[in-house]
Amino acid sequence: MGATSGMGRGIALGLLAEGYTIGVCGRRKEALDEIKTIAPEKVFTKVIDVTKEEAPSLLMQLIEEMGGMDLYFHSSGFGKQNMNLDLPIECLTVLTNSYGFTQMVVTAFNYFKTEKRSGRIAVISSVAGTKGLGSAPSYSATKRFDWIYIEALAQLAHMQKLDIKFTDIRPGFVATDFIAGDKYPMTMPTDYVVRHVLNAVRKGKRKVIIDWKYRILCFFWRLIPSFVWERMNIHN
C-alpha cells in the first residue's frame, strides 16, 4: 500500500525481485501500471486511496484477485513541516496516517483472522514518533499512533491465538519527493533504506529503527525530560 513512489515503490520492486507475487496499491494508476509492465504475470494492481470509505473493500477485492495474501505492507503516509499550523495540512496528515492507516491495517488483520491463516503486517512508521516535534505536530503524533496501534494489535493477536506477526519499521528522514522543499537532518538515500526494510521483513523483526545514527539519536531523545524538550528550539 503506497507503492506509487519513494520507499513504497522501492519495497514493491524489491519484493518482486525476491520472487513475491505482489499486489501494488496507490492513488496513481499510471505509476502502478508501470510496475506491472516489469512482470505482468506476478503484479496485480488496484487504485486505492486509504482515506476513502471504499478503501477496505478495494483491498479485499485485490486479495481475492491474487488468490490470497501472506504479507500486508503499509507504506502509505503524509506529513509536512508545519510550524504555522496550516489546518488542512494537519488534518490531512491525521486522516492519512491515522484514519487511513487504521482502515487498511484492520482490514489486513481481519483477513488473516477470518481465513485462519498465518501472515505478517509490516508498516512504515517513523522515528518522528519518539517525541512531539514542534515543527511537525500532526506527523509526529500520528506516527506515535501507528507505533501504539501495532503494539495493541500484536497483543490482540496473542490474546486471540492468531498466527499474525508484525514488523514496525521506523526510518529516519529519507531523501524522497515526500520531503522535497523542506530541510531535514541526516537524510538517507531511498535505496539504502529499502535494503534495510527488506532485511527487517526477511528476518521477521518486530521493530527496527533505520539506521544506526537514528538509533543513537532516538536513545538520547528518550532520555530528555518533557520540561526540557518543550523548551528546545528544533526548527528542522
Side-chain angles (χ1 to χ4, degrees), residues 168-188:
D168 178 3
I169 300 158
R170 305 172 183 179
F173 300 118
V174 185
T176 66
D177 292 342
F178 181 70
I179 64 171
D182 287 332
K183 293 181 180 179
Y184 289 89
M186 300 190 302
T187 55
M188 301 175 289

Side-chain angles (χ1 to χ4, degrees), residues 5-8 10 174-177 188-196:
S5 64
M7 281 190 291
V174 185
T176 66
D177 292 342
M188 301 175 289
T190 303
D191 290 349
Y192 171 80
V193 175
V194 167
R195 289 198 300 272
H196 279 271

Side-chain angles (χ1 to χ4, degrees), residues 86-137:
D86 184 342
L87 190 57
I89 291 176
E90 293 297 281
C91 291
L92 180 57
T93 304
V94 173
L95 183 64
T96 305
N97 298 352
S98 295
Y99 175 76
F101 176 92
T102 302
Q103 283 208 113
M104 308 321 294
V105 168
V106 167
T107 301
F109 184 99
N110 286 338
Y111 165 77
F112 292 130
K113 178 179 179 178
T114 301
E115 295 297 317
K116 296 181 173 59
R117 64 187 295 167
S118 60
R120 179 171 297 276
I121 296 173
V123 304
I124 300 290
S125 59
S126 172
V127 299
T130 308
K131 286 285 191 179
L133 299 173
S135 59

Side-chain angles (χ1 to χ4, degrees), residues 148-168:
I148 299 301
Y149 205 91
I150 289 299
E151 183 176 70
L153 290 188
Q155 184 184 74
L156 181 61
H158 177 77
M159 291 163 59
Q160 296 182 347
K161 296 180 171 55
L162 303 174
D163 189 14
I164 306 174
K165 302 297 189 295
F166 299 85
T167 299
D168 178 3

Side-chain angles (χ1 to χ4, degrees), residues 11 15 18 20 71-73 120-124 167-169 195-205 208:
I11 292 163
L15 292 172
E18 291 187 11
Y20 279 80
L71 167 67
Y72 174 76
F73 209 116
R120 179 171 297 276
I121 296 173
V123 304
I124 300 290
T167 299
D168 178 3
I169 300 158
R195 289 198 300 272
H196 279 271
V197 169
L198 293 172
N199 186 57
V201 173
R202 196 181 301 117
K203 292 184 176 180
K205 292 188 176 182
V208 59

Side-chain angles (χ1 to χ4, degrees), residues 80-86 89-90 133-137 233-236:
K80 289 286 186 182
Q81 291 189 32
N82 192 22
M83 294 179 69
N84 292 326
L85 291 181
D86 184 342
I89 291 176
E90 293 297 281
L133 299 173
S135 59
N233 294 317
I234 303 175
H235 293 281
N236 294 310

